[in-house]
Amino acid sequence: MRLRELPPRFWLLALLLPPLPPPARAETSAQDVSLGVDWLTRYGYLPPPDPVQAQLQSLEKLRDAVKVMQRFAGLPETGLMDRQTLATMRKPRCSLPDVLGAAGLVRRRRRYALSGSVWPKRTLTWRVRSFPRSSRLSQETVRTLLSYALAVWGAESGLTFHEVDARHQEPDIHIDFARAYHQDSYPFDGLGGTLAHAFFPGEHPISGDTHFDDEETWTFGSKDGEGTDLFAVAVHEFGHALGLGHSSAPNSIMRPFYQGPVGDPDKYRLSQDDIEGLQQLYGKVPQTPQGTPTRRPLAPPPLPPTPLPDSPTWPIPDRCEGHFDAIANIRGETFFFKGPWFWRLQPSGQLVSPRPARLHRFWEGLPAQVTVVQAAYARHRDGRILLFSGPQFWEFRDRQLDGPARPLTELGLPPGLEVDAVFSWPANGKTYLVRGRSYWRFDEEARRADPGYPRDLSLWEGAPLAPDDVTVSNAGDTYFFKGTQYWRFPKGSVKTEPDSPQPMGPEWLDCPASTSGPHAPKPPKATPRSGACDCQCELNQAAGRPPTPFLLSLLPLLAGGLASRCGGSS
Ligand code: ZN
Ligand code: CA
Ligand code: ZN
């Protein structure tokens, strides 16, 4: 979508964007503006769109909304949608609005009690109605963590919480792990984004109920910050279930953004701001001689299940044998996929590790049953990474899955067809999808398949049919790969170099040239390495020169914290 085609309110908000260098400007602003307006509306900073009046927001009001958001998030109050502001909007968070009242929930269908409401009793009952469908946390651990999270609030208010069996009693607080739309006004959004929400106290059956997005990777005490800490999020949500809204206080657990693990549940204490909010609703702890309530001992979370590739049926493949399922240039690095494994080649031409990393350890949220990636590419317009398997594809924001599996028909392929190769060609910015001897072209700007396709792959003069994959190097040359060979098409050209094909091994994979190859082997590059990838697993490595202008448009994403850990080959 071009800026020009946006509704007027977007135009106005575009004025809120700080000036950016020319190449990234158009793409970044249209996208960010729509993200910004949606975000500000969803979390109560702007009134919901009014289809009857359809009046324009004044620039002043929009700037004010951005400023309130910035104050809430502890950012400098520039009133501009600057990088820091956009990065904050992309953080995982609670689904509930930050601003209640004037612009927020009140304007929605008011079905449930809102902030300020309290439970008219001091003993509340709870029950987990549905557990995570797949989690490394056992049901017992989930229940224990939740009971601790409730006890945190009980300790400062004297409220007591009892876990009950629904057969005997309807609990005050139902707890569910749910996916997508789950029969309330706050559908979940898959991995990342919104994490959980809870309903304020009241008379309605849903009051006090607490929902967690079952598509998050719920963890506890994860040392490397992997996944989302269930205890930390549960303490926050139970604050809502007791009647607290969001807080902008720096140490408050009621800040709307996910802050990471909060330490040992046994020792965790609420911040002063949270205690004051709670005690406004329920008063101080009554002085009784009973002492502290007894808590169940906290079972240590079980170790994560062993991933599939460790089993003997998945021997570690030899990269020098070629025959990759997919090859893609992702942010300047070349990724070689084979079965549930992949290797990475840095922009400098060095392998991150001679040992492959596990697919599912790196691509968070890729369904476990996907053990082959048939094609992959990084989409130019927004930096999303698309992985293809069977008649479907998955979209990743950095390393995180973003949304459900989607059919290839969305990219213009006939139903049921799979792809051998997908690549984005810099010469025209279009995306090419190859199957057998045919290829289709997708227009990313217009978001539709180009007419007149499929065409015959022989139009790419010299290209092999049914390539394993095709990708474009940082220098802009197009490479077809098949088996153990590659074909190079110079930048912008659809005619292969006369000396193609060449063996992949020496050029790409630090492998000796096969003696049986049809061409004289090139001297292998001197690339000494230790064989471990422990320290070099950032998705966007600092090593090497980033390809431009692609990275420019990613700057807001990168500023949002591309914290990526080692994909792990050991
Ligand atoms: Zn919240
Ligand atoms: Ca989510
Ligand atoms: Zn819900």
Side-chain angles (χ1 to χ4, degrees), residues 3 6 14 17 20 24-35 81:
L3 193 57
L6 292 166
L17 287 163
L20 281 174
R25 173 87 202 235
E27 275 184 12
T28 311
S29 31
Q31 222 179 341
D32 292 345
V33 164
S34 99
L35 168 86
M81 301 240 293

Side-chain angles (χ1 to χ4, degrees), residues 309-358:
D310 273 351
S311 71
T313 50
W314 291 100
I316 296 180
D318 179 356
R319 70 183 188 282
C320 296
E321 288 175 359
H323 293 274
F324 295 97
D325 300 319
I327 297 169
N329 182 340
I330 297 173
R331 301 191 185 163
E333 291 189 17
T334 315
F335 282 59
F336 295 85
F337 295 87
K338 191 165 190 178
W341 304 95
F342 68 93
W343 292 261
R344 295 163 63 179
L345 193 67
Q346 296 173 40
S348 62
Q350 291 212 353
L351 280 169
V352 168
S353 167
R355 293 192 49 166
R358 289 183 203 135

Side-chain angles (χ1 to χ4, degrees), residues 547-566:
T548 53
F550 175 67
L551 268 200
L552 270 182
S553 63
L554 280 172
L555 279 176
L557 284 172
L558 297 170
L562 242 185
S564 89
R565 296 165 300 280
C566 181

Side-chain angles (χ1 to χ4, degrees), residues 185-431:
S185 309
Y186 302 94
F188 285 126
D189 55 0
L191 192 63
T194 57
L195 305 174
H197 50 247
F199 294 84
F200 295 123
E203 300 288 310
H204 195 279
I206 207 169
S207 302
D209 288 3
T210 303
H211 300 162
F212 297 89
D213 188 343
D214 190 27
E215 292 189 71
E216 307 301 334
T217 307
W218 294 105
T219 54
F220 166 62
S222 136
K223 287 196 181 63
D224 54 3
E226 199 182 342
T228 308
D229 192 85
L230 179 60
F231 175 72
V233 176
V235 174
H236 173 104
E237 297 306 332
F238 290 145
H240 290 315
L242 295 177
L244 275 77
H246 282 154
S247 167
S248 58
N251 299 320
S252 169
I253 194 70
M254 297 313 293
R255 285 170 60 83
F257 305 102
Y258 176 63
Q259 311 284 319
V262 293
D264 188 347
D266 207 14
K267 300 195 179 74
Y268 178 78
R269 289 286 173 274
L270 292 169
S271 76
Q272 196 54 37
D273 179 74
D274 298 321
I275 293 173
E276 281 168 16
L278 180 71
Q279 293 183 346
Q280 274 213 342
L281 299 175
Y282 297 98
K284 300 198 173 182
V285 190
Q287 294 302 312
T288 59
Q290 304 166 228
T292 49
T294 51
R295 295 174 177 179
R296 292 190 283 157
L298 189 65
L303 293 171
T306 310
L308 198 59
D310 273 351
S311 71
T313 50
W314 291 100
I316 296 180
D318 179 356
R319 70 183 188 282
C320 296
E321 288 175 359
H323 293 274
F324 295 97
D325 300 319
I327 297 169
N329 182 340
I330 297 173
R331 301 191 185 163
E333 291 189 17
T334 315
F335 282 59
F336 295 85
F337 295 87
K338 191 165 190 178
W341 304 95
F342 68 93
W343 292 261
R344 295 163 63 179
L345 193 67
Q346 296 173 40
S348 62
Q350 291 212 353
L351 280 169
V352 168
S353 167
R355 293 192 49 166
R358 289 183 203 135
L359 203 55
H360 293 89
R361 287 266 308 259
F362 189 88
W363 300 103
E364 291 177 9
L366 183 68
Q369 69 270 19
V370 178
T371 52
V372 171
V373 173
Q374 286 167 269
Y377 84 108
R379 190 162 62 198
H380 193 272
R381 74 173 142 87
D382 58 4
R384 296 293 170 95
I385 298 147
L386 281 71
L387 303 185
F388 297 77
S389 190
Q392 293 179 309
F393 68 93
W394 289 263
E395 215 175 287
F396 286 78
R397 187 177 54 196
D398 306 327
R399 291 174 50 204
Q400 270 84 39
L401 181 66
D402 190 20
R406 287 156 55 188
L408 275 176
T409 47
E410 269 185 35
L411 300 176
L413 262 67
L417 208 62
E418 301 178 10
V419 280
D420 296 324
V422 182
F423 65 102
S424 167
W425 202 39
N428 57 10
K430 306 226 178 183
T431 300

Side-chain angles (χ1 to χ4, degrees), residues 135-203:
S135 172
R136 66 185 63 170
L137 303 177
S138 69
Q139 295 195 354
E140 182 60 22
T141 305
V142 168
R143 285 170 51 219
T144 306
L145 289 171
L146 296 174
S147 76
Y148 269 76
L150 286 164
V152 161
W153 295 101
E156 306 295 346
S157 61
L159 294 173
T160 49
F161 300 93
H162 292 300
E163 188 178 9
V164 294
D165 185 331
R167 280 171 299 183
H168 301 110
Q169 193 184 348
E170 187 67 7
D172 299 309
I173 299 172
H174 278 113
I175 297 160
D176 287 289
F177 288 79
R179 295 178 179 218
Y181 176 74
H182 55 278
Q183 294 172 328
D184 62 30
S185 309
Y186 302 94
F188 285 126
D189 55 0
L191 192 63
T194 57
L195 305 174
H197 50 247
F199 294 84
F200 295 123
E203 300 288 310

Side-chain angles (χ1 to χ4, degrees), residues 22 57 96 130-131 153 164 185 193 210 287-288 301 326 357 370 373 422 439 445 469 488 493 501 533:
Q57 306 274 8
L96 294 195
S130 54
F131 285 94
W153 295 101
V164 294
S185 309
T210 303
Q287 294 302 312
T288 59
V370 178
V373 173
V422 182
Y439 70 99
E445 280 297 309
D469 209 344
R488 187 168 79 92
S493 166
C533 78

